[in-house]
Amino acid sequence: MPTTISRRVTDLPSYAFAEVDKKVRELREAGVTPVDFGVGDPSCPTPAFIREAMAKGADEYASAGYPSYVGGKPFLEAVAAWTERRFGVKIDAGSEICSTIGSKEGIFNFAETLVDPGDVVLCPSPGYPPYNRGTLFAEGKPWLYGLPASNDFLPDLESIPAEVVAKAKILWINYPNSPSGRVATRAELQTLYDWARKNDVVLASDEAYSELYFTDEPPTSILEIGRENTVVFQSLSKRSAMTGYRIGWVAGDQRIVSAFKKVKTNIDSGTPNFVQAGAIAALADEDHVAEMRAEYREKRDILCAAFRAAGLPDSTPEGTIYVWQRVPEGMTSLDFAQTLLREDIAAVCTPGPWIAEKLADGTSPGDGFVRFALVPTIEETKKTADAIAKLSL
């Protein structure tokens, strides 16, 4: 008798970025070398001083055994110190911070902390898939709210039905926003915080792109607004090009962080000590972050100028490493993405509907958009931009 696969897995859609990887492989097998703007994985090397700190850490902790489940004291103190420097917010290293294996692990498993079967979690669309996939694995019910361009990529929380709000346990927000690149103002974050407090909903803020911005002022953290019933998820993946090392943290309301620690100690064995050593070095330095911001800004400007030259609407983002580009009139997102796969362009991007699940009314806020991750080199970006600028659309 064949083994029955769990409903959680059989009902799970394919992961969008796995589909992007598949398309890249197909092009390469056909003899075409594509420029991959599909997956948000920085191509620049992790800065040398961070790698050197990890190498020293590997020797220092050679006989240390398992790391702390929730992060070693030096790492937690480094996070607390950085948070105070960057946002002016004091958090307690011992009780209000927990390390994570990158933000994805923490985000996916967070629902297990608060969600009982049937509880609702409010997730943005478009948005990071682990918000709603983690909810499903916790036997909760994701309720997708849209981030349409018509509302300046902000949620219209007052439009969520009262019966949905009554069952909601978590509201996920993400600013600077992936994929739109929108940076929320302090006043806009205050509105979101007030709504969550009024409705007794835990506010979970994914701030993985807080250091990658192009605005005059750096983005605000929700912790600057308040921390009661509020947590933030952070990562060094994009800030310090440490995607492969898997380190991040959750911080905020002590009661919620403490409960999350209980979940985490039953799931994994923590981030390796030598990786924490690298993260400590990364958090102590801002020069490499400023250099990365400058490089992403240059690539953003090159690509967005090409789209404008091709006659497309200006979709220049305020932050993140993405361009959420409107497609030409009369074309679908998939049509445009396939056009860009022509051999004379060979640019891989992500069609908007692949990362924007349908809302309750059957519409997808990803329709009419494609996402470009600004991870290829400047030279590759220029090459692609030259081809795009020549398009007759």
Side-chain angles (χ1 to χ4, degrees), residues 12 15 103-112 115 119-145 147 170-179 204-209 231-234 320 322 355 357:
L12 198 65
Y15 193 62
S103 61
K104 181 178 181 179
E105 170 268 319
I107 288 169
F108 185 91
N109 290 320
F110 184 63
E112 299 286 358
V115 173
D119 286 342
V120 169
V121 175
L122 305 172
C123 307
S125 178
Y128 193 34
Y131 304 147
N132 60 69
R133 305 294 168 79
T135 300
L136 291 171
F137 270 64
E139 300 185 56
K141 295 182 178 179
W143 198 90
L144 282 299
Y145 67 84
L147 294 177
I170 303 170
L171 166 64
W172 279 105
I173 62 172
N174 168 223
Y175 294 98
N177 178 255
S178 168
S205 180
D206 176 2
E207 300 182 3
Y209 296 95
V231 291
V232 302
F233 287 79
Q234 266 285 6
T320 77
Y322 305 111
I355 52 174
E357 298 193 39

Short mmCIF file of all heavy atoms in Angstrom, two decimals, residues 12 15 103-112 115 119-145 147 170-179 204-209 231-234 320 322 355 357:
data_model
loop_
_atom_site.label_atom_id
_atom_site.label_comp_id
_atom_site.label_asym_id
_atom_site.label_seq_id
_atom_site.Cartn_x
_atom_site.Cartn_y
_atom_site.Cartn_z
N LEU A 12 0.08 22.15 -0.92
CA LEU A 12 0.99 23.29 -0.95
C LEU A 12 1.36 23.63 -2.39
O LEU A 12 1.81 22.77 -3.15
CB LEU A 12 2.26 22.94 -0.17
CG LEU A 12 3.17 24.07 0.27
CD1 LEU A 12 2.46 24.97 1.28
CD2 LEU A 12 4.45 23.50 0.88
N TYR A 15 6.81 26.53 -4.78
CA TYR A 15 7.45 27.76 -4.31
C TYR A 15 7.86 28.57 -5.53
O TYR A 15 8.57 28.08 -6.41
CB TYR A 15 8.66 27.41 -3.45
CG TYR A 15 9.21 28.56 -2.66
CD1 TYR A 15 8.44 29.20 -1.70
CD2 TYR A 15 10.51 29.01 -2.87
CE1 TYR A 15 8.95 30.25 -0.95
CE2 TYR A 15 11.04 30.07 -2.12
CZ TYR A 15 10.25 30.68 -1.16
OH TYR A 15 10.75 31.72 -0.42
N SER A 103 15.85 35.03 8.39
CA SER A 103 14.48 35.44 8.74
C SER A 103 13.44 34.43 8.26
O SER A 103 12.38 34.30 8.87
CB SER A 103 14.17 36.82 8.18
OG SER A 103 14.25 36.84 6.77
N LYS A 104 13.73 33.68 7.20
CA LYS A 104 12.73 32.76 6.66
C LYS A 104 12.30 31.72 7.68
O LYS A 104 11.11 31.45 7.86
CB LYS A 104 13.28 32.06 5.40
CG LYS A 104 12.28 31.10 4.76
CD LYS A 104 12.86 30.49 3.49
CE LYS A 104 11.84 29.55 2.83
NZ LYS A 104 12.37 28.95 1.59
N GLU A 105 13.28 31.12 8.38
CA GLU A 105 12.95 30.11 9.39
C GLU A 105 12.09 30.71 10.48
O GLU A 105 11.08 30.13 10.89
CB GLU A 105 14.25 29.53 9.96
CG GLU A 105 14.07 28.65 11.19
CD GLU A 105 14.18 29.41 12.50
OE1 GLU A 105 15.07 30.27 12.63
OE2 GLU A 105 13.35 29.13 13.40
N GLY A 106 12.47 31.89 10.96
CA GLY A 106 11.70 32.51 12.03
C GLY A 106 10.30 32.87 11.60
O GLY A 106 9.33 32.64 12.34
N ILE A 107 10.17 33.44 10.41
CA ILE A 107 8.86 33.84 9.90
C ILE A 107 7.96 32.62 9.71
O ILE A 107 6.80 32.61 10.11
CB ILE A 107 9.02 34.62 8.59
CG1 ILE A 107 9.60 36.01 8.89
CG2 ILE A 107 7.71 34.73 7.83
CD1 ILE A 107 10.04 36.78 7.67
N PHE A 108 8.49 31.57 9.10
CA PHE A 108 7.69 30.38 8.85
C PHE A 108 7.19 29.76 10.15
O PHE A 108 6.03 29.35 10.27
CB PHE A 108 8.51 29.36 8.06
CG PHE A 108 7.73 28.14 7.64
CD1 PHE A 108 7.08 28.11 6.41
CD2 PHE A 108 7.63 27.03 8.45
CE1 PHE A 108 6.35 27.00 6.01
CE2 PHE A 108 6.91 25.92 8.07
CZ PHE A 108 6.27 25.90 6.84
N ASN A 109 8.07 29.70 11.16
CA ASN A 109 7.71 29.02 12.41
C ASN A 109 6.98 29.91 13.40
O ASN A 109 6.47 29.41 14.41
CB ASN A 109 8.98 28.47 13.08
CG ASN A 109 9.57 27.30 12.32
OD1 ASN A 109 8.84 26.44 11.82
ND2 ASN A 109 10.88 27.25 12.22
N PHE A 110 6.91 31.21 13.13
CA PHE A 110 6.30 32.12 14.10
C PHE A 110 4.84 31.79 14.38
O PHE A 110 4.37 31.93 15.52
CB PHE A 110 6.44 33.57 13.64
CG PHE A 110 5.93 34.57 14.62
CD1 PHE A 110 6.50 34.69 15.88
CD2 PHE A 110 4.85 35.40 14.31
CE1 PHE A 110 6.03 35.61 16.81
CE2 PHE A 110 4.37 36.31 15.23
CZ PHE A 110 4.96 36.43 16.48
N ALA A 111 4.12 31.37 13.36
CA ALA A 111 2.70 31.06 13.56
C ALA A 111 2.49 30.00 14.63
O ALA A 111 1.49 30.02 15.36
CB ALA A 111 2.06 30.62 12.25
N GLU A 112 3.45 29.08 14.76
CA GLU A 112 3.32 28.04 15.78
C GLU A 112 3.28 28.62 17.19
O GLU A 112 2.78 28.00 18.13
CB GLU A 112 4.50 27.06 15.68
CG GLU A 112 4.61 26.31 14.36
CD GLU A 112 3.55 25.23 14.20
OE1 GLU A 112 2.75 25.03 15.13
OE2 GLU A 112 3.54 24.59 13.12
N VAL A 115 -0.78 30.64 16.86
CA VAL A 115 -1.95 30.22 16.08
C VAL A 115 -2.45 28.85 16.50
O VAL A 115 -1.68 27.88 16.54
CB VAL A 115 -1.61 30.23 14.57
CG1 VAL A 115 -2.74 29.63 13.75
CG2 VAL A 115 -1.31 31.66 14.11
N ASP A 119 -7.49 29.76 13.56
CA ASP A 119 -7.17 31.17 13.73
C ASP A 119 -6.75 31.79 12.40
O ASP A 119 -6.20 31.10 11.52
CB ASP A 119 -6.03 31.36 14.74
CG ASP A 119 -6.47 31.12 16.18
OD1 ASP A 119 -7.69 31.15 16.45
OD2 ASP A 119 -5.59 30.92 17.04
N VAL A 120 -6.97 33.07 12.27
CA VAL A 120 -6.67 33.79 11.03
C VAL A 120 -5.38 34.57 11.17
O VAL A 120 -5.10 35.16 12.22
CB VAL A 120 -7.83 34.75 10.66
CG1 VAL A 120 -7.43 35.69 9.52
CG2 VAL A 120 -9.07 33.95 10.27
N VAL A 121 -4.59 34.56 10.11
CA VAL A 121 -3.38 35.39 10.02
C VAL A 121 -3.52 36.27 8.78
O VAL A 121 -3.79 35.77 7.68
CB VAL A 121 -2.11 34.53 9.94
CG1 VAL A 121 -0.88 35.41 9.73
CG2 VAL A 121 -1.95 33.69 11.20
N LEU A 122 -3.35 37.56 8.96
CA LEU A 122 -3.50 38.53 7.87
C LEU A 122 -2.15 38.70 7.18
O LEU A 122 -1.18 39.12 7.80
CB LEU A 122 -3.99 39.86 8.42
CG LEU A 122 -5.29 39.79 9.24
CD1 LEU A 122 -5.58 41.13 9.91
CD2 LEU A 122 -6.45 39.36 8.36
N CYS A 123 -2.10 38.34 5.89
CA CYS A 123 -0.86 38.31 5.13
C CYS A 123 -0.97 39.20 3.90
O CYS A 123 -2.00 39.19 3.22
CB CYS A 123 -0.52 36.89 4.67
SG CYS A 123 -0.52 35.65 5.98
N PRO A 124 0.09 39.94 3.55
CA PRO A 124 0.03 40.79 2.37
C PRO A 124 0.17 40.00 1.08
O PRO A 124 0.85 38.98 1.02
CB PRO A 124 1.22 41.73 2.55
CG PRO A 124 2.21 40.92 3.34
CD PRO A 124 1.38 40.07 4.27
N SER A 125 -0.48 40.52 0.04
CA SER A 125 -0.31 39.98 -1.31
C SER A 125 -0.14 41.17 -2.25
O SER A 125 -1.03 42.03 -2.30
CB SER A 125 -1.51 39.14 -1.73
OG SER A 125 -1.34 38.66 -3.05
N PRO A 126 1.00 41.28 -2.94
CA PRO A 126 2.12 40.35 -2.96
C PRO A 126 2.87 40.36 -1.63
O PRO A 126 2.84 41.35 -0.90
CB PRO A 126 2.99 40.86 -4.10
CG PRO A 126 2.68 42.33 -4.16
CD PRO A 126 1.23 42.45 -3.82
N GLY A 127 3.55 39.24 -1.37
CA GLY A 127 4.28 39.15 -0.12
C GLY A 127 5.15 37.91 -0.07
O GLY A 127 5.08 37.04 -0.93
N TYR A 128 5.94 37.83 0.96
CA TYR A 128 6.87 36.73 1.16
C TYR A 128 6.08 35.45 1.46
O TYR A 128 5.29 35.41 2.43
CB TYR A 128 7.79 37.09 2.32
CG TYR A 128 9.01 36.24 2.51
CD1 TYR A 128 9.70 35.68 1.44
CD2 TYR A 128 9.52 36.03 3.80
CE1 TYR A 128 10.85 34.93 1.64
CE2 TYR A 128 10.66 35.29 4.01
CZ TYR A 128 11.32 34.73 2.93
OH TYR A 128 12.46 33.99 3.14
N PRO A 129 6.23 34.39 0.66
CA PRO A 129 5.41 33.19 0.84
C PRO A 129 5.40 32.59 2.25
O PRO A 129 4.36 32.08 2.68
CB PRO A 129 6.00 32.21 -0.18
CG PRO A 129 6.55 33.08 -1.26
CD PRO A 129 7.10 34.29 -0.55
N PRO A 130 6.51 32.62 3.03
CA PRO A 130 6.45 32.01 4.36
C PRO A 130 5.43 32.62 5.31
O PRO A 130 5.06 31.98 6.31
CB PRO A 130 7.87 32.19 4.90
CG PRO A 130 8.73 32.17 3.67
CD PRO A 130 7.92 32.92 2.66
N TYR A 131 4.94 33.85 5.04
CA TYR A 131 3.90 34.39 5.92
C TYR A 131 2.69 33.45 5.93
O TYR A 131 2.19 33.06 6.99
CB TYR A 131 3.42 35.77 5.44
CG TYR A 131 4.45 36.84 5.28
CD1 TYR A 131 4.31 37.81 4.28
CD2 TYR A 131 5.55 36.94 6.13
CE1 TYR A 131 5.24 38.83 4.12
CE2 TYR A 131 6.49 37.95 5.97
CZ TYR A 131 6.33 38.89 4.96
OH TYR A 131 7.26 39.89 4.80
N ASN A 132 2.20 33.14 4.73
CA ASN A 132 0.99 32.31 4.69
C ASN A 132 1.29 30.81 4.73
O ASN A 132 0.49 30.04 5.24
CB ASN A 132 0.11 32.68 3.49
CG ASN A 132 0.78 32.51 2.17
OD1 ASN A 132 1.04 31.40 1.73
ND2 ASN A 132 1.05 33.62 1.48
N ARG A 133 2.45 30.39 4.22
CA ARG A 133 2.76 28.96 4.25
C ARG A 133 2.98 28.50 5.70
O ARG A 133 2.58 27.40 6.09
CB ARG A 133 4.00 28.66 3.40
CG ARG A 133 3.88 29.16 1.95
CD ARG A 133 2.81 28.44 1.15
NE ARG A 133 2.52 29.10 -0.11
CZ ARG A 133 3.25 29.02 -1.22
NH1 ARG A 133 4.35 28.30 -1.22
NH2 ARG A 133 2.89 29.65 -2.32
N GLY A 134 3.65 29.33 6.50
CA GLY A 134 3.81 28.99 7.90
C GLY A 134 2.48 28.91 8.62
O GLY A 134 2.27 28.06 9.50
N THR A 135 1.57 29.79 8.23
CA THR A 135 0.22 29.76 8.81
C THR A 135 -0.47 28.44 8.50
O THR A 135 -1.10 27.83 9.38
CB THR A 135 -0.61 30.93 8.24
OG1 THR A 135 0.02 32.16 8.56
CG2 THR A 135 -2.02 30.92 8.80
N LEU A 136 -0.35 27.99 7.27
CA LEU A 136 -0.99 26.73 6.87
C LEU A 136 -0.42 25.55 7.66
O LEU A 136 -1.16 24.67 8.10
CB LEU A 136 -0.80 26.50 5.37
CG LEU A 136 -1.56 27.46 4.45
CD1 LEU A 136 -1.11 27.28 3.00
CD2 LEU A 136 -3.06 27.25 4.56
N PHE A 137 0.89 25.53 7.85
CA PHE A 137 1.50 24.43 8.59
C PHE A 137 1.10 24.46 10.07
O PHE A 137 1.12 23.43 10.73
CB PHE A 137 3.02 24.47 8.44
CG PHE A 137 3.52 23.68 7.26
CD1 PHE A 137 3.18 24.05 5.97
CD2 PHE A 137 4.30 22.56 7.42
CE1 PHE A 137 3.62 23.33 4.86
CE2 PHE A 137 4.75 21.82 6.33
CZ PHE A 137 4.41 22.21 5.05
N ALA A 138 0.75 25.63 10.57
CA ALA A 138 0.28 25.74 11.95
C ALA A 138 -1.23 25.50 12.04
O ALA A 138 -1.82 25.66 13.11
CB ALA A 138 0.61 27.12 12.51
N GLU A 139 -1.85 25.12 10.90
CA GLU A 139 -3.28 24.84 10.81
C GLU A 139 -4.14 26.08 11.03
O GLU A 139 -5.28 26.00 11.48
CB GLU A 139 -3.68 23.71 11.77
CG GLU A 139 -2.95 22.41 11.49
CD GLU A 139 -3.43 21.26 12.36
OE1 GLU A 139 -4.65 20.96 12.35
OE2 GLU A 139 -2.59 20.67 13.05
N GLY A 140 -3.55 27.23 10.72
CA GLY A 140 -4.31 28.46 10.72
C GLY A 140 -4.85 28.75 9.33
O GLY A 140 -4.65 27.98 8.39
N LYS A 141 -5.52 29.90 9.20
CA LYS A 141 -6.11 30.28 7.92
C LYS A 141 -5.54 31.62 7.47
O LYS A 141 -5.80 32.66 8.10
CB LYS A 141 -7.64 30.39 8.05
CG LYS A 141 -8.33 29.06 8.35
CD LYS A 141 -9.84 29.24 8.41
CE LYS A 141 -10.54 27.91 8.66
NZ LYS A 141 -12.01 28.06 8.74
N PRO A 142 -4.72 31.63 6.41
CA PRO A 142 -4.24 32.91 5.89
C PRO A 142 -5.41 33.69 5.27
O PRO A 142 -6.25 33.12 4.57
CB PRO A 142 -3.22 32.52 4.82
CG PRO A 142 -2.99 31.05 4.99
CD PRO A 142 -4.21 30.49 5.63
N TRP A 143 -5.44 34.98 5.55
CA TRP A 143 -6.39 35.87 4.86
C TRP A 143 -5.55 36.93 4.17
O TRP A 143 -4.85 37.70 4.81
CB TRP A 143 -7.37 36.51 5.84
CG TRP A 143 -8.59 37.07 5.16
CD1 TRP A 143 -9.76 36.42 4.91
CD2 TRP A 143 -8.75 38.39 4.62
NE1 TRP A 143 -10.65 37.25 4.26
CE2 TRP A 143 -10.05 38.47 4.06
CE3 TRP A 143 -7.93 39.51 4.55
CZ2 TRP A 143 -10.56 39.60 3.45
CZ3 TRP A 143 -8.42 40.67 3.93
CH2 TRP A 143 -9.72 40.71 3.40
N LEU A 144 -5.58 36.92 2.85
CA LEU A 144 -4.72 37.78 2.06
C LEU A 144 -5.31 39.17 1.88
O LEU A 144 -6.45 39.29 1.42
CB LEU A 144 -4.47 37.16 0.68
CG LEU A 144 -3.46 36.00 0.55
CD1 LEU A 144 -2.08 36.44 0.97
CD2 LEU A 144 -3.90 34.80 1.33
N TYR A 145 -4.58 40.18 2.30
CA TYR A 145 -4.99 41.56 2.01
C TYR A 145 -4.09 42.10 0.91
O TYR A 145 -2.90 41.78 0.84
CB TYR A 145 -4.95 42.44 3.26
CG TYR A 145 -3.58 42.72 3.84
CD1 TYR A 145 -2.78 43.75 3.33
CD2 TYR A 145 -3.09 41.98 4.92
CE1 TYR A 145 -1.53 44.02 3.87
CE2 TYR A 145 -1.84 42.25 5.46
CZ TYR A 145 -1.06 43.26 4.94
OH TYR A 145 0.18 43.53 5.46
N LEU A 147 -1.99 44.73 -1.60
CA LEU A 147 -1.15 45.93 -1.59
C LEU A 147 -1.16 46.51 -3.01
O LEU A 147 -0.16 46.45 -3.73
CB LEU A 147 0.28 45.60 -1.16
CG LEU A 147 0.47 45.11 0.28
CD1 LEU A 147 1.93 44.75 0.52
CD2 LEU A 147 0.01 46.16 1.28
N ILE A 170 -2.53 37.44 14.00
CA ILE A 170 -1.30 38.10 13.55
C ILE A 170 -1.60 38.95 12.32
O ILE A 170 -2.37 38.55 11.45
CB ILE A 170 -0.21 37.07 13.18
CG1 ILE A 170 0.09 36.13 14.35
CG2 ILE A 170 1.07 37.75 12.71
CD1 ILE A 170 0.97 34.95 13.97
N LEU A 171 -0.99 40.12 12.27
CA LEU A 171 -0.96 40.95 11.07
C LEU A 171 0.49 41.07 10.63
O LEU A 171 1.33 41.61 11.35
CB LEU A 171 -1.53 42.35 11.35
CG LEU A 171 -1.26 43.41 10.27
CD1 LEU A 171 -1.94 43.04 8.95
CD2 LEU A 171 -1.69 44.79 10.75
N TRP A 172 0.80 40.54 9.43
CA TRP A 172 2.15 40.67 8.86
C TRP A 172 2.23 41.94 8.03
O TRP A 172 1.37 42.21 7.19
CB TRP A 172 2.46 39.48 7.95
CG TRP A 172 2.90 38.25 8.68
CD1 TRP A 172 2.18 37.11 8.90
CD2 TRP A 172 4.19 38.03 9.28
NE1 TRP A 172 2.93 36.20 9.61
CE2 TRP A 172 4.16 36.73 9.86
CE3 TRP A 172 5.35 38.80 9.39
CZ2 TRP A 172 5.26 36.20 10.53
CZ3 TRP A 172 6.44 38.27 10.06
CH2 TRP A 172 6.39 36.99 10.62
N ILE A 173 3.29 42.72 8.28
CA ILE A 173 3.59 43.87 7.43
C ILE A 173 5.06 43.79 7.02
O ILE A 173 5.85 43.09 7.67
CB ILE A 173 3.30 45.22 8.12
CG1 ILE A 173 4.18 45.40 9.36
CG2 ILE A 173 1.82 45.34 8.46
CD1 ILE A 173 4.10 46.79 9.97
N ASN A 174 5.40 44.49 5.96
CA ASN A 174 6.77 44.41 5.42
C ASN A 174 7.13 45.74 4.75
O ASN A 174 6.73 45.99 3.62
CB ASN A 174 6.86 43.25 4.43
CG ASN A 174 8.13 43.26 3.60
OD1 ASN A 174 8.10 43.02 2.40
ND2 ASN A 174 9.25 43.54 4.23
N TYR A 175 7.87 46.57 5.48
CA TYR A 175 8.36 47.85 4.95
C TYR A 175 9.78 48.08 5.45
O TYR A 175 10.03 47.86 6.64
CB TYR A 175 7.45 49.01 5.36
CG TYR A 175 6.08 48.91 4.74
CD1 TYR A 175 5.02 48.38 5.46
CD2 TYR A 175 5.86 49.31 3.43
CE1 TYR A 175 3.77 48.25 4.89
CE2 TYR A 175 4.61 49.19 2.84
CZ TYR A 175 3.57 48.66 3.57
OH TYR A 175 2.33 48.53 3.00
N PRO A 176 10.68 48.49 4.54
CA PRO A 176 10.54 48.64 3.09
C PRO A 176 9.99 47.36 2.47
O PRO A 176 10.40 46.26 2.84
CB PRO A 176 11.94 48.95 2.60
CG PRO A 176 12.62 49.58 3.79
CD PRO A 176 12.06 48.85 4.97
N ASN A 177 9.09 47.56 1.51
CA ASN A 177 8.25 46.46 1.05
C ASN A 177 8.84 45.72 -0.14
O ASN A 177 9.28 46.32 -1.12
CB ASN A 177 6.87 47.00 0.67
CG ASN A 177 5.96 45.93 0.14
OD1 ASN A 177 5.71 45.85 -1.06
ND2 ASN A 177 5.48 45.08 1.02
N SER A 178 8.85 44.41 -0.01
CA SER A 178 9.13 43.53 -1.13
C SER A 178 7.80 43.01 -1.64
O SER A 178 7.02 42.44 -0.87
CB SER A 178 10.00 42.36 -0.67
OG SER A 178 10.06 41.34 -1.65
N PRO A 179 7.49 43.22 -2.92
CA PRO A 179 8.37 43.64 -4.02
C PRO A 179 8.25 45.10 -4.44
O PRO A 179 8.98 45.53 -5.32
CB PRO A 179 7.90 42.74 -5.15
CG PRO A 179 6.42 42.67 -4.94
CD PRO A 179 6.23 42.64 -3.43
N ALA A 204 3.40 41.72 13.39
CA ALA A 204 4.68 41.10 13.04
C ALA A 204 5.25 41.86 11.85
O ALA A 204 4.69 41.82 10.74
CB ALA A 204 4.49 39.63 12.70
N SER A 205 6.36 42.55 12.06
CA SER A 205 6.94 43.42 11.05
C SER A 205 8.23 42.80 10.49
O SER A 205 9.21 42.64 11.21
CB SER A 205 7.25 44.79 11.67
OG SER A 205 7.82 45.67 10.72
N ASP A 206 8.21 42.47 9.22
CA ASP A 206 9.37 41.93 8.52
C ASP A 206 10.19 43.11 8.02
O ASP A 206 9.80 43.78 7.07
CB ASP A 206 8.90 41.04 7.37
CG ASP A 206 10.04 40.49 6.53
OD1 ASP A 206 11.22 40.76 6.84
OD2 ASP A 206 9.75 39.79 5.53
N GLU A 207 11.34 43.35 8.67
CA GLU A 207 12.16 44.52 8.35
C GLU A 207 13.51 44.12 7.75
O GLU A 207 14.52 44.81 7.93
CB GLU A 207 12.33 45.36 9.62
CG GLU A 207 10.98 45.84 10.15
CD GLU A 207 11.07 46.74 11.38
OE1 GLU A 207 12.20 47.05 11.82
OE2 GLU A 207 10.00 47.12 11.90
N ALA A 208 13.50 43.04 6.99
CA ALA A 208 14.74 42.52 6.42
C ALA A 208 15.43 43.49 5.46
O ALA A 208 16.62 43.36 5.19
CB ALA A 208 14.47 41.20 5.70
N TYR A 209 14.66 44.49 4.94
CA TYR A 209 15.24 45.43 3.98
C TYR A 209 15.41 46.83 4.58
O TYR A 209 15.57 47.80 3.84
CB TYR A 209 14.34 45.51 2.73
CG TYR A 209 14.28 44.21 1.98
CD1 TYR A 209 13.23 43.31 2.20
CD2 TYR A 209 15.27 43.85 1.07
CE1 TYR A 209 13.17 42.10 1.54
CE2 TYR A 209 15.22 42.64 0.40
CZ TYR A 209 14.16 41.77 0.64
OH TYR A 209 14.11 40.56 -0.02
N VAL A 231 6.41 42.48 17.26
CA VAL A 231 7.73 41.89 17.07
C VAL A 231 8.24 42.26 15.68
O VAL A 231 7.45 42.48 14.76
CB VAL A 231 7.74 40.35 17.21
CG1 VAL A 231 7.49 39.93 18.65
CG2 VAL A 231 6.71 39.71 16.28
N VAL A 232 9.57 42.34 15.56
CA VAL A 232 10.18 42.57 14.25
C VAL A 232 11.06 41.37 13.92
O VAL A 232 11.64 40.73 14.81
CB VAL A 232 11.02 43.86 14.20
CG1 VAL A 232 10.18 45.06 14.55
CG2 VAL A 232 12.23 43.77 15.09
N PHE A 233 11.16 41.08 12.63
CA PHE A 233 12.05 40.04 12.12
C PHE A 233 13.12 40.74 11.29
O PHE A 233 12.80 41.53 10.41
CB PHE A 233 11.28 39.02 11.29
CG PHE A 233 10.43 38.12 12.13
CD1 PHE A 233 9.20 38.56 12.60
CD2 PHE A 233 10.85 36.84 12.48
CE1 PHE A 233 8.40 37.75 13.40
CE2 PHE A 233 10.07 36.03 13.28
CZ PHE A 233 8.84 36.47 13.75
N GLN A 234 14.38 40.43 11.61
CA GLN A 234 15.49 41.05 10.91
C GLN A 234 16.42 39.96 10.38
O GLN A 234 16.35 38.80 10.80
CB GLN A 234 16.27 41.97 11.85
CG GLN A 234 15.84 43.42 11.81
CD GLN A 234 16.33 44.14 10.55
OE1 GLN A 234 16.90 43.53 9.64
NE2 GLN A 234 16.11 45.45 10.50
N THR A 320 14.64 48.56 -0.91
CA THR A 320 14.79 47.12 -1.17
C THR A 320 15.75 46.90 -2.34
O THR A 320 16.40 47.83 -2.82
CB THR A 320 13.47 46.38 -1.42
OG1 THR A 320 12.97 46.64 -2.74
CG2 THR A 320 12.44 46.72 -0.37
N TYR A 322 14.58 45.43 -5.20
CA TYR A 322 13.65 45.02 -6.26
C TYR A 322 13.10 46.21 -7.03
O TYR A 322 12.97 47.32 -6.50
CB TYR A 322 12.47 44.25 -5.66
CG TYR A 322 12.90 43.07 -4.84
CD1 TYR A 322 12.73 43.05 -3.45
CD2 TYR A 322 13.51 41.96 -5.42
CE1 TYR A 322 13.14 41.97 -2.69
CE2 TYR A 322 13.93 40.88 -4.68
CZ TYR A 322 13.75 40.89 -3.30
OH TYR A 322 14.18 39.83 -2.55
N ILE A 355 4.09 35.74 -7.20
CA ILE A 355 4.36 36.08 -5.81
C ILE A 355 3.23 36.92 -5.21
O ILE A 355 3.40 37.53 -4.15
CB ILE A 355 5.69 36.84 -5.66
CG1 ILE A 355 5.76 38.04 -6.60
CG2 ILE A 355 6.87 35.92 -5.88
CD1 ILE A 355 7.00 38.91 -6.39
N GLU A 357 -0.61 36.07 -4.37
CA GLU A 357 -1.72 35.13 -4.38
C GLU A 357 -3.05 35.87 -4.49
O GLU A 357 -3.17 37.04 -4.11
CB GLU A 357 -1.67 34.25 -3.13
CG GLU A 357 -0.38 33.42 -3.08
CD GLU A 357 -0.43 32.33 -2.04
OE1 GLU A 357 -1.50 31.70 -1.88
OE2 GLU A 357 0.60 32.10 -1.39
#
